[in-house]
Amino acid sequence: MVTGRSVAHGGALAWALAALLAGLAAPALAQPAPPPSRGKPARTAAGASAPLDRQLFPFYPLQTSWTNVVGLQPSAPAATDGVRVFIPFTSGELHAWKLIGGAHAFTLRFVGTLAPVIDDGRLFLTTDRLVEAMRSADGSPLWKTPLAAPAAFAPVARGGWVFVPLAGGALTGLRADTGATVWTVPVGVATAPLVVEGDRLYAAASGGSLHALAVADGKATWQAALDSDATALTAVAGHVFVATSGRWLYALDSAKGRVRWRFRLQGAAIGLTVDEDRIVAVMLDQSVRAFKIGSGAQAWRQELSFRPAGGPVIAGHSVLVTGYAPSMRALDRKTGANQGLYLMPLPVDASGISLETLSSGPLVSPGATLFDDVVVLVTQHGLLHAARRAFDPPATTVSVMPGTVVPVPQPPDGWVAPAEPPATSTKTPATATPTTTTPAGSKPPTGSKPPTPPGPTPPAGGDTPPRTPPVPPAR
């Protein structure tokens, strides 16, 4: 016999079952979101990491790719656009060679001692009171802009901008597409190369001051006082790092310029670089040191057998450092352990002694694969040498009797040098106007299209990709 109570109980069960089925059929948006991850953020910008890519492999051992004997003395460090390498010489010429194969590309007239700068297919050359832009593909001229004073350091070009520190103590920001001056501000005589990170421009000036300027208009964001003049400067999102002649390494907050920590160095730092978790400094006391970004604790220190003159450069799992001798030391990026010493193959005289010395630090260009990464070394007597990673077959168990002829192991796919990418056409109509994106709040000139900003330059090896600065206003 079915009673009213049992019917009510059965109805309650049916209602609960229906509610459960409805909950299961509800869309995923109705579910609570998982808590955010507290791990390291994934690197998705230009030059982002992926499992088993070049950051897991050392930049050693190396083998010769090509060597050219020019017989001219370089007047400034070399530069590369990933396809060609550009080197100025004291003869008043700048030569370009193809990065793959080392074939000569073209020659330009250039008299100067500042390194060429390349960004978004443009080659920028700085003479005494002039900045000149050319197409890096063929050296054809684009524009020339006179400067109010000689340049103190080579310009920094990124995101549609060209920033030039002047010997008179001013900084000037130019449009990369037209060379038009957007702003000029006084900050003091620069003591180290400029650094751009995101929407900030950092300049170290004489008197131990560090200036943070807004990229868009050059207005001061903050100014910090250091113990002495800066000798090296670098930055990453949220942090600015400065080494001073007073032998201190500073870490400052990029938002307010407050000192987060400082570390007493045993010698002056001649170069700084930063990756996602540490700062690497090359010291004149013949050492290389790495510090943790957050605390300033020293992660490792490695003594060098030579007085350093170039670097550090982070390439893959290695830190590359050079001295005056024609060689390059590779250190482990995480531990500082010696990975190897690469010696340039050089001609020697009857006594078996070579008098070659390096003119500048290593120039590293990442390729399509880690086997296509190239390092270029240039000597004071004009010897150009390019090397790339050597392929060592993995160790395997013996499968044949000793003395049996076996085929030579082949390198993996991608090791064979690919053909050079086809040159981009440089034919431009006479009435064509370079275009860039107009920032919010500004109006493009009548009858012209706003230009599109170039993307960030991919860094070499393990360097953290710099954030792209805002686009210059249309003028």
Side-chain angles (χ1 to χ4, degrees), residues 280-283 285-290 298-306 308 319 321 329-332 335-340:
V280 182
V282 170
M283 315 295 300
D285 66 352
Q286 298 189 191
S287 69
V288 182
R289 302 182 182 215
Q298 184 170 285
W300 53 262
R301 172 180 174 172
Q302 181 59 255
E303 300 293 334
L304 299 174
S305 59
F306 55 83
V319 176
V321 185
R329 172 70 67 183
L331 306 175
D332 188 279
T335 66
N338 278 310
Q339 294 176 338

Short mmCIF file of all heavy atoms in Angstrom, two decimals, residues 280-283 285-290 298-306 308 319 321 329-332 335-340:
data_model
loop_
_atom_site.label_atom_id
_atom_site.label_comp_id
_atom_site.label_asym_id
_atom_site.label_seq_id
_atom_site.Cartn_x
_atom_site.Cartn_y
_atom_site.Cartn_z
N VAL A 280 74.08 38.84 -14.68
CA VAL A 280 75.45 38.37 -14.87
C VAL A 280 76.33 39.59 -15.12
O VAL A 280 76.00 40.44 -15.95
CB VAL A 280 75.55 37.38 -16.03
CG1 VAL A 280 76.98 36.88 -16.18
CG2 VAL A 280 74.59 36.21 -15.83
N ALA A 281 77.43 39.68 -14.39
CA ALA A 281 78.35 40.81 -14.49
C ALA A 281 79.74 40.31 -14.82
O ALA A 281 80.22 39.33 -14.23
CB ALA A 281 78.37 41.60 -13.18
N VAL A 282 80.41 40.99 -15.76
CA VAL A 282 81.81 40.73 -16.07
C VAL A 282 82.64 41.79 -15.38
O VAL A 282 82.38 43.00 -15.53
CB VAL A 282 82.06 40.75 -17.59
CG1 VAL A 282 83.56 40.72 -17.88
CG2 VAL A 282 81.39 39.55 -18.24
N MET A 283 83.65 41.35 -14.60
CA MET A 283 84.40 42.24 -13.74
C MET A 283 85.83 42.42 -14.24
O MET A 283 86.41 41.52 -14.84
CB MET A 283 84.43 41.67 -12.32
CG MET A 283 83.11 41.15 -11.81
SD MET A 283 81.89 42.45 -11.62
CE MET A 283 82.74 43.48 -10.43
N ASP A 285 88.26 42.46 -12.29
CA ASP A 285 89.13 41.64 -11.44
C ASP A 285 89.25 40.21 -11.98
O ASP A 285 89.61 39.29 -11.24
CB ASP A 285 88.62 41.62 -9.99
CG ASP A 285 87.26 40.92 -9.87
OD1 ASP A 285 86.66 40.60 -10.91
OD2 ASP A 285 86.82 40.70 -8.73
N GLN A 286 88.93 40.05 -13.28
CA GLN A 286 89.04 38.76 -13.98
C GLN A 286 88.11 37.72 -13.39
O GLN A 286 88.49 36.58 -13.12
CB GLN A 286 90.49 38.26 -13.98
CG GLN A 286 91.46 39.15 -14.70
CD GLN A 286 92.83 38.53 -14.88
OE1 GLN A 286 93.77 39.20 -15.26
NE2 GLN A 286 92.97 37.24 -14.60
N SER A 287 86.86 38.13 -13.23
CA SER A 287 85.84 37.20 -12.75
C SER A 287 84.51 37.52 -13.42
O SER A 287 84.30 38.61 -13.95
CB SER A 287 85.69 37.27 -11.23
OG SER A 287 85.12 38.51 -10.84
N VAL A 288 83.64 36.53 -13.39
CA VAL A 288 82.26 36.68 -13.84
C VAL A 288 81.37 36.27 -12.68
O VAL A 288 81.61 35.22 -12.06
CB VAL A 288 81.96 35.81 -15.08
CG1 VAL A 288 80.53 36.04 -15.56
CG2 VAL A 288 82.95 36.11 -16.20
N ARG A 289 80.38 37.09 -12.37
CA ARG A 289 79.51 36.81 -11.23
C ARG A 289 78.05 36.83 -11.68
O ARG A 289 77.68 37.59 -12.57
CB ARG A 289 79.70 37.84 -10.12
CG ARG A 289 81.12 37.93 -9.59
CD ARG A 289 81.18 38.93 -8.47
NE ARG A 289 82.54 39.10 -7.96
CZ ARG A 289 82.85 39.31 -6.70
NH1 ARG A 289 81.89 39.41 -5.80
NH2 ARG A 289 84.10 39.47 -6.32
N ALA A 290 77.24 36.01 -11.01
CA ALA A 290 75.80 36.00 -11.25
C ALA A 290 75.08 36.23 -9.93
O ALA A 290 75.48 35.69 -8.88
CB ALA A 290 75.37 34.66 -11.85
N GLN A 298 74.56 36.25 -4.30
CA GLN A 298 75.45 35.81 -5.36
C GLN A 298 75.18 34.34 -5.66
O GLN A 298 75.32 33.47 -4.80
CB GLN A 298 76.91 36.02 -4.97
CG GLN A 298 77.89 35.66 -6.07
CD GLN A 298 79.30 36.12 -5.75
OE1 GLN A 298 79.63 37.29 -5.83
NE2 GLN A 298 80.15 35.16 -5.37
N ALA A 299 74.78 34.04 -6.90
CA ALA A 299 74.47 32.67 -7.31
C ALA A 299 75.74 31.89 -7.61
O ALA A 299 75.84 30.71 -7.26
CB ALA A 299 73.54 32.67 -8.51
N TRP A 300 76.69 32.53 -8.28
CA TRP A 300 77.97 31.88 -8.55
C TRP A 300 79.00 32.91 -8.94
O TRP A 300 78.68 34.04 -9.28
CB TRP A 300 77.87 30.78 -9.62
CG TRP A 300 77.23 31.18 -10.93
CD1 TRP A 300 75.94 30.98 -11.30
CD2 TRP A 300 77.86 31.84 -12.05
NE1 TRP A 300 75.72 31.46 -12.57
CE2 TRP A 300 76.88 31.98 -13.06
CE3 TRP A 300 79.15 32.30 -12.29
CZ2 TRP A 300 77.15 32.59 -14.28
CZ3 TRP A 300 79.42 32.91 -13.52
CH2 TRP A 300 78.43 33.04 -14.50
N ARG A 301 80.27 32.48 -8.86
CA ARG A 301 81.39 33.31 -9.28
C ARG A 301 82.41 32.40 -9.96
O ARG A 301 82.69 31.30 -9.49
CB ARG A 301 82.05 34.00 -8.09
CG ARG A 301 83.35 34.72 -8.43
CD ARG A 301 83.97 35.40 -7.24
NE ARG A 301 85.27 35.96 -7.57
CZ ARG A 301 85.98 36.74 -6.77
NH1 ARG A 301 85.50 37.05 -5.58
NH2 ARG A 301 87.16 37.21 -7.14
N GLN A 302 82.93 32.86 -11.09
CA GLN A 302 83.91 32.08 -11.84
C GLN A 302 85.09 32.96 -12.19
O GLN A 302 84.93 34.06 -12.73
CB GLN A 302 83.29 31.53 -13.12
CG GLN A 302 84.24 30.67 -13.95
CD GLN A 302 84.76 29.47 -13.19
OE1 GLN A 302 85.92 29.45 -12.77
NE2 GLN A 302 83.90 28.47 -13.00
N GLU A 303 86.29 32.50 -11.84
CA GLU A 303 87.51 33.22 -12.17
C GLU A 303 87.87 32.98 -13.63
O GLU A 303 87.64 31.90 -14.19
CB GLU A 303 88.66 32.76 -11.27
CG GLU A 303 88.42 32.97 -9.79
CD GLU A 303 88.39 34.44 -9.43
OE1 GLU A 303 89.01 35.24 -10.16
OE2 GLU A 303 87.76 34.79 -8.42
N LEU A 304 88.45 34.00 -14.27
CA LEU A 304 88.90 33.90 -15.65
C LEU A 304 90.42 33.88 -15.69
O LEU A 304 91.08 34.44 -14.81
CB LEU A 304 88.38 35.08 -16.47
CG LEU A 304 86.86 35.23 -16.58
CD1 LEU A 304 86.50 36.53 -17.28
CD2 LEU A 304 86.25 34.04 -17.30
N SER A 305 90.96 33.26 -16.71
CA SER A 305 92.41 33.21 -16.88
C SER A 305 92.92 34.38 -17.71
O SER A 305 94.10 34.43 -18.04
CB SER A 305 92.81 31.89 -17.55
OG SER A 305 92.18 31.77 -18.82
N PHE A 306 92.03 35.32 -18.06
CA PHE A 306 92.41 36.47 -18.87
C PHE A 306 91.65 37.69 -18.38
O PHE A 306 90.65 37.56 -17.67
CB PHE A 306 92.14 36.21 -20.36
CG PHE A 306 90.70 35.82 -20.64
CD1 PHE A 306 89.70 36.77 -20.78
CD2 PHE A 306 90.36 34.48 -20.78
CE1 PHE A 306 88.40 36.41 -21.03
CE2 PHE A 306 89.07 34.10 -21.04
CZ PHE A 306 88.07 35.07 -21.16
N PRO A 308 89.04 40.32 -18.94
CA PRO A 308 87.92 40.39 -19.87
C PRO A 308 87.84 41.74 -20.58
O PRO A 308 88.22 42.78 -20.02
CB PRO A 308 86.70 40.17 -18.97
CG PRO A 308 87.14 40.62 -17.62
CD PRO A 308 88.60 40.30 -17.54
N VAL A 319 77.10 31.47 -20.88
CA VAL A 319 77.48 32.88 -20.81
C VAL A 319 78.82 33.00 -21.52
O VAL A 319 79.78 32.31 -21.17
CB VAL A 319 77.60 33.35 -19.35
CG1 VAL A 319 78.10 34.80 -19.31
CG2 VAL A 319 76.27 33.24 -18.63
N VAL A 321 82.17 35.11 -22.78
CA VAL A 321 83.03 36.21 -22.37
C VAL A 321 84.31 36.14 -23.21
O VAL A 321 84.83 35.05 -23.46
CB VAL A 321 83.39 36.13 -20.87
CG1 VAL A 321 84.19 37.36 -20.44
CG2 VAL A 321 82.14 36.00 -20.01
N ARG A 329 85.49 32.29 -23.85
CA ARG A 329 85.20 31.37 -22.76
C ARG A 329 83.68 31.19 -22.65
O ARG A 329 82.92 32.16 -22.70
CB ARG A 329 85.73 31.91 -21.44
CG ARG A 329 85.32 31.14 -20.20
CD ARG A 329 85.98 29.77 -20.14
NE ARG A 329 87.41 29.86 -19.94
CZ ARG A 329 88.21 28.81 -19.91
NH1 ARG A 329 87.71 27.60 -20.08
NH2 ARG A 329 89.51 28.97 -19.74
N ALA A 330 83.23 29.93 -22.52
CA ALA A 330 81.81 29.61 -22.33
C ALA A 330 81.63 29.08 -20.92
O ALA A 330 82.31 28.13 -20.50
CB ALA A 330 81.35 28.58 -23.35
N LEU A 331 80.70 29.71 -20.16
CA LEU A 331 80.40 29.31 -18.79
C LEU A 331 78.96 28.85 -18.70
O LEU A 331 78.09 29.32 -19.45
CB LEU A 331 80.61 30.49 -17.82
CG LEU A 331 81.97 31.17 -17.84
CD1 LEU A 331 81.95 32.37 -16.91
CD2 LEU A 331 83.08 30.20 -17.44
N ASP A 332 78.68 27.94 -17.77
CA ASP A 332 77.32 27.49 -17.55
C ASP A 332 76.49 28.62 -16.96
O ASP A 332 76.88 29.25 -15.97
CB ASP A 332 77.31 26.28 -16.61
CG ASP A 332 75.93 25.65 -16.50
OD1 ASP A 332 75.11 26.18 -15.72
OD2 ASP A 332 75.69 24.65 -17.17
N THR A 335 75.27 27.58 -13.20
CA THR A 335 76.23 27.27 -12.14
C THR A 335 77.56 28.01 -12.27
O THR A 335 78.32 28.06 -11.32
CB THR A 335 76.53 25.76 -12.14
OG1 THR A 335 77.20 25.41 -13.37
CG2 THR A 335 75.24 24.95 -12.03
N GLY A 336 77.84 28.57 -13.46
CA GLY A 336 79.11 29.24 -13.67
C GLY A 336 80.25 28.31 -14.01
O GLY A 336 81.38 28.78 -14.19
N ALA A 337 79.99 27.02 -14.10
CA ALA A 337 81.06 26.07 -14.40
C ALA A 337 81.61 26.30 -15.80
O ALA A 337 80.88 26.71 -16.71
CB ALA A 337 80.53 24.63 -14.28
N ASN A 338 82.90 26.06 -15.98
CA ASN A 338 83.52 26.20 -17.28
C ASN A 338 83.00 25.14 -18.24
O ASN A 338 83.04 23.94 -17.94
CB ASN A 338 85.05 26.07 -17.16
CG ASN A 338 85.70 27.36 -16.71
OD1 ASN A 338 85.44 28.41 -17.28
ND2 ASN A 338 86.52 27.27 -15.69
N GLN A 339 82.48 25.58 -19.37
CA GLN A 339 82.03 24.65 -20.41
C GLN A 339 83.10 24.43 -21.47
O GLN A 339 83.13 23.38 -22.10
CB GLN A 339 80.74 25.16 -21.06
CG GLN A 339 79.55 25.19 -20.12
CD GLN A 339 78.31 25.78 -20.77
OE1 GLN A 339 78.40 26.52 -21.75
NE2 GLN A 339 77.16 25.46 -20.22
N GLY A 340 83.97 25.40 -21.66
CA GLY A 340 85.04 25.23 -22.63
C GLY A 340 85.61 26.56 -23.07
O GLY A 340 85.04 27.63 -22.83
#
